[in-house]
Amino acid sequence: MRVLITGGCGFIGSNFIRYYNNKHPYHKIYNIDKLTYAGNLENLRGLEKRKNYHFIKGDISDALTMKKIFRQFRPDAVINFAAESHVDRSIESPALFLKTNFIGVSILLNLSLECRIKKFLQISTDEIYGSILHGSFRESSPLTPSNPYSASKAAADGLVMAYYKTYTLPALITRSSNNYGPYQFPEKLIPLTIINALHNRAIPVYGDGKHIRDWLYVEDNCEAIDTVFQRGAIGEIYNIAGENELTNIYVVKKILQHLDKNESLVTFVKDRPGHDRRYALSISKIRRHCGWHPKTPFSTGIKKTVAWYLKNKRWLKNCQTGAYRSFYKKYYSKRGLKNI
Ligand code: NAD
Ligand code: DAU
């Protein structure tokens, strides 16, 4: 099996490639990544020596390059992780999100059709359902995205399903809740809190800090994605969640406890515009149809995550490039936080 994986140098993609390569050592992996600020070749160190793994620098929204890649490698299947993934960045500059997350997906779908691939798996998100105060979203729930990132992902899901219905492209979709774990770029809540706490810097908590996310340990998500890839039905959508619903302030305080840091670092800042109050998914479909369930309780996952970042301070330092600093300097100074 020849699997083309896009966005494999990012957080979930790199964890997935390691997982997939261990589980299916005889499959060939072609990792296509643009290496944006979030893509890091270090995330897959060691793998480049393997004969069944190939990295190709490429942009999924560049049709000509992608055509050459598909023609050269003739994949049997495509798993699309590539995306601009950070909500705050999408609020500051939405255009790139539409280009990668929508146009990029349309290019992958056209080429997949042309090359008669056997399976197309789109990696999507719970954010596209929008906020829910009580209960949980099922795969059939309407999509009400609240920010440019989630709107671009919702549009992509629509297109994937349209290609399945119109052209019988063998496509399926996973929609997961918030992932955490090793190799997550330190702009998302958990790694950002860890890095700021390590430097005794203020930890920005948006609004009242009582927004709820359902935290999924990244290895559990990798297992779920592979399960859907192997056993999921074509034309179907599968929710994936950790069943660990927590407020942001609880998560931040837990990390401070693990690092033995003072809660005085917590700094409440202006809320994110369009900030979804709560995300919650029903995962009864993936349980029933694929036999998957989450394995890692938050207490275990966060301990492992903090330990990984403490052990990998060089990786963390290398992430803090000029691009990272200049975006956040501007972003947080607008929100009245100077010591970033
Ligand atoms: P990430 O930002 O860490 O990684 C994205 C990767 O995609 C990077 O390696 C980047 O270089 C690459 N990329 C970006 N634009 C590209 C382009 N035009 N062409 C090729 N490569 C490009 O993101 P992540 O957190 O690993 O998320 C991966 C996928 O999972 C995304 O599709 C995201 O929407 C989805 N998702 C993420 C979460 C989460 O909690 N992180 C939850 C649900 C779904
Ligand atoms: O739900 C799945 C989504 O989870 C993915 O689709 C996205 O790619 C991923 O980025 C993530 O989106 P969130 O916006 O939920 O993640 P983030 O880590 O940015 O924020 C988590 C919560 O913490 C959210 O309520 C906003 C809040 N927050 C975030 C940051 C970065 C803060 O309070 N302070 C912060 O500095």
Side-chain angles (χ1 to χ4, degrees):
M1 165 87 102
R2 304 158 71 84
V3 190
L4 191 147
I5 297 178
T6 66
C9 295
F11 163 48
I12 307 176
S14 62
N15 277 283
F16 181 79
I17 288 181
R18 283 183 190 286
Y19 177 91
Y20 191 88
N21 183 58
N22 282 336
K23 195 93 191 283
H24 313 281
Y26 300 111
H27 289 192
K28 284 203 161 70
I29 297 172
Y30 301 94
N31 173 16
I32 317 296
D33 198 296
K34 186 180 168 188
L35 296 181
T36 67
Y37 76 94
N40 187 344
L41 284 171
E42 257 192 84
N43 295 2
L44 289 164
R45 180 160 289 171
L47 223 73
E48 67 277 351
K49 295 191 196 94
R50 293 190 63 112
K51 280 203 178 113
N52 66 329
Y53 171 78
H54 305 271
F55 169 72
I56 305 106
K57 188 168 186 246
D59 179 343
I60 60 164
S61 63
D62 171 354
L64 274 181
T65 305
M66 290 312 294
K67 194 170 190 155
K68 281 188 200 147
I69 289 173
F70 269 72
R71 291 208 169 148
Q72 187 179 351
F73 299 110
R74 294 171 289 104
D76 299 305
V78 174
I79 308 181
N80 179 38
F81 290 90
E84 287 295 332
S85 69
H86 193 39
V87 173
D88 295 327
R89 288 178 187 261
S90 82
I91 295 166
E92 296 292 304
S93 34
L96 182 58
F97 284 71
L98 299 178
K99 190 167 179 236
T100 291
N101 301 359
F102 185 68
I103 303 294
V105 170
S106 77
I107 288 167
L108 292 177
L109 290 168
N110 281 333
L111 290 168
S112 296
L113 206 56
E114 198 179 299
C115 297
R116 296 197 176 86
I117 63 116
K118 297 186 187 80
K119 219 175 256 188
F120 184 100
L121 174 57
Q122 168 71 0
I123 305 302
S124 186
T125 168
D126 65 354
E127 288 220 28
I128 66 177
Y129 296 114
S131 188
I132 186 166
L133 292 183
H134 306 285
S136 56
F137 290 118
R138 290 182 168 280
E139 289 81 354
S140 53
S141 300
L143 306 185
T144 55
S146 309
N147 58 64
Y149 161 71
S150 50
S152 69
K153 293 292 289 185
D157 278 22
L159 200 61
V160 171
M161 291 320 286
Y163 269 63
Y164 162 67
K165 288 177 192 161
T166 310
Y167 308 112
T168 60
L169 180 79
L172 58 173
I173 297 177
T174 60
R175 291 177 180 157
S176 88
S177 63
N178 284 62
N179 283 223
Y180 69 106
Y183 300 106
Q184 188 169 30
F185 191 82
E187 63 183 352
K188 310 282 165 66
L189 181 68
I190 288 183
L192 182 80
T193 299
I194 295 172
I195 197 173
N196 281 6
L198 286 176
H199 290 97
N200 295 310
R201 290 196 297 241
I203 293 160
V205 174
Y206 300 164
D208 63 4
K210 291 186 183 147
H211 300 78
I212 291 173
R213 296 292 181 268
D214 181 344
W215 294 96
L216 170 66
Y217 192 58
V218 66
E219 277 175 20
D220 285 1
N221 191 23
C222 293
E223 184 188 61
I225 291 169
D226 187 41
T227 305
V228 168
F229 187 56
Q230 308 300 332
R231 277 188 262 162
I234 297 298
E236 292 294 329
I237 297 167
Y238 296 91
N239 287 344
I240 305 171
E243 299 189 320
N244 292 298
E245 278 191 41
L246 300 167
T247 61
N248 293 337
I249 191 68
Y250 175 91
V251 169
V252 167
K253 286 185 176 172
K254 260 287 155 249
I255 295 169
L256 291 175
Q257 268 173 28
H258 279 291
L259 291 169
D260 202 18
K261 296 284 181 179
N262 203 293
E263 284 186 10
S264 61
L265 290 177
V266 171
T267 309
F268 289 95
V269 297
K270 200 171 145 204
D271 209 350
R272 173 188 275 175
H275 195 177
D276 287 322
R277 192 67 174 169
R278 173 174 173 261
Y279 294 146
L281 294 179
S282 157
I283 56 166
S284 62
K285 181 170 173 181
I286 192 172
R287 274 182 194 276
R288 273 187 291 116
H289 295 196
C290 305
W292 179 87
H293 66 275
K295 315 275 181 321
T296 313
F298 187 75
S299 55
T300 311
I302 197 65
K303 217 166 158 179
K304 289 209 267 191
T305 303
V306 170
W308 186 87
Y309 281 95
L310 284 175
K311 211 175 141 197
N312 290 277
K313 284 193 183 140
R314 194 178 60 88
W315 180 92
L316 206 48
K317 195 163 175 240
N318 289 349
C319 284
Q320 295 179 286
T321 60
Y324 170 90
R325 287 197 76 76
S326 64
F327 177 82
Y328 284 100
K329 247 191 163 134
K330 220 166 83 194
Y331 185 77
Y332 286 117
S333 75
K334 271 200 209 163
R335 282 156 182 81
L337 200 71
K338 301 263 175 336
N339 68 340
I340 195 91

